[in-house]
Amino acid sequence: MAITIKNDNQIAIMRAAGKIHARILNELEELITPGISAKELDIIAEQKVRAAGAEPSFLGYSPDRHTPKYPASLCVSINDVIVHGIPTNDMIIKDGDIVSIDLGLKYKNMFTDSARTVIVGNVSKEKAQLVHDTREALALGIAAAQPGNTVGDIGHAIESFNNKRYGNVKELSGHGVGLAVHEDPYVPNYGKAGAGATLKPGMIIAIEPMFNLGTSNVKFHNDGYTVTTADKQVSAHVEHTVLITENGSEILTEL
Ligand code: MG
Ligand code: MG
């Protein structure tokens, strides 16, 4: 699929969707406390999405015809799970965990995508710093998302900030979003300044750095979704849906 430029009507819908998205993630974040299960979070997420007049876009989604349909509304990725953790009843949140929640929303036929990593109770200094720095990497990636800049500038900003302090996941990336769950272009978390597609006003992309405390090596699990760190060290993941504007960018998935 070619890179799409969204029109004013589509942008208005995505702005509204992004506010709903951010509010739901805020509410879910409050619920992430020791004892709650990933499945409970998923059920609540679906209820909140539907109550807002939207649909959970990950539920029943498949990236290709060989992969089974995703069975939940939310991805819940705890500790060494990088992304796409399938929520189950036996995944119980504990003190000291870091938990990524990733939600996809479909609202009036437009799609938004956003994730947070939440710190649960008392976590080690290293884990807290990892989460802080992954959030900072997202902010810097967004700052590089300017009209006239390229996709490579975003990856370069994220990778330069990482500066080999953390494993920087290469096998997974951000992406265009809006008319579908995933659109072109790929938005990797590494790259050369000035390389790749040029960003233009009206483009909407999901930027989503994933940093690991250990190496960048990942393991893909045979459920078709779960991705963990190969060395079982913890990983953080944060994501916003971002509109390229005439003079900069606008984070759609925040209040
Ligand atoms: Mg996502
Ligand atoms: Mg995404």
Side-chain angles (χ1 to χ4, degrees):
M1 186 183 196
I3 298 173
T4 61
I5 302 290
K6 276 72 179 179
N7 64 36
D8 289 348
N9 181 47
Q10 292 167 332
I11 289 169
I13 292 170
M14 289 194 66
R15 232 178 231 130
K19 299 290 181 207
I20 296 168
H21 204 136
R23 174 182 55 76
I24 293 173
L25 285 180
N26 283 350
E27 291 171 5
L28 291 173
E29 227 183 295
E30 295 296 314
L31 298 173
I32 300 181
T33 50
I36 195 164
S37 76
K39 190 63 200 172
E40 286 174 274
L41 290 170
D42 174 54
I43 291 167
I44 295 165
E46 180 174 357
Q47 286 168 347
K48 287 179 182 294
V49 168
R50 295 198 190 282
E55 288 169 56
S57 64
F58 296 164
L59 182 65
Y61 176 81
S62 172
D64 58 62
R65 59 197 173 84
H66 308 291
T67 309
K69 289 179 174 173
Y70 190 73
S73 299
L74 194 67
C75 299
V76 182
S77 305
I78 304 173
N79 295 331
D80 65 319
V81 183
I82 301 168
V83 287
H84 306 161
I86 301 172
T88 62
N89 286 316
D90 54 11
M91 287 163 60
I92 309 288
I93 309 293
K94 300 184 306 297
D95 183 75
D97 284 344
I98 61 171
V99 182
S100 149
I101 49 169
D102 190 350
L103 180 68
L105 210 78
K106 181 184 182 186
Y107 182 69
K108 298 183 178 175
N109 280 324
M110 300 300 291
F111 294 81
T112 51
D113 194 357
S114 183
R116 314 254 177 101
T117 291
V118 181
I119 286 172
V120 184
N122 301 300
V123 308
S124 70
K125 226 168 127 183
E126 291 77 16
K127 284 192 204 177
Q129 191 67 40
L130 169 77
V131 174
H132 174 274
D133 286 341
T134 311
R135 289 172 183 159
E136 181 67 16
L138 175 59
L140 292 168
I142 292 168
Q146 304 276 335
N149 276 4
T150 67
V151 164
D153 288 316
I154 297 172
H156 181 71
I158 291 169
E159 189 177 37
S160 304
F161 172 70
N162 182 312
N163 195 24
K164 299 192 169 71
R165 289 174 298 157
Y166 304 108
N168 187 12
V169 175
K170 300 282 202 297
E171 288 86 347
L172 299 152
S173 75
H175 50 89
V177 65
L179 301 177
V181 174
H182 293 116
E183 295 177 19
D184 283 338
Y186 283 104
V187 183
N189 295 308
Y190 61 94
K192 279 202 181 84
T198 300
L199 302 170
K200 298 190 178 108
M203 281 176 59
I204 298 182
I205 53 176
I207 304 176
E208 46 182 318
M210 291 153 257
F211 286 175
N212 306 338
L213 261 194
T215 73
S216 63
N217 298 331
V218 307
K219 181 179 170 190
F220 290 91
H221 291 247
N222 59 14
D223 60 16
Y225 288 99
T226 309
V227 187
T228 58
T229 57
D231 61 11
K232 297 192 164 67
Q233 295 225 52
V234 302
S235 180
H237 168 232
V238 288
E239 175 180 30
H240 271 309
T241 295
V242 177
L243 166 70
I244 309 300
T245 62
E246 293 293 336
N247 42 24
S249 64
E250 178 183 332
I251 299 172
L252 297 177
T253 44
E254 74 176 4
L255 292 180

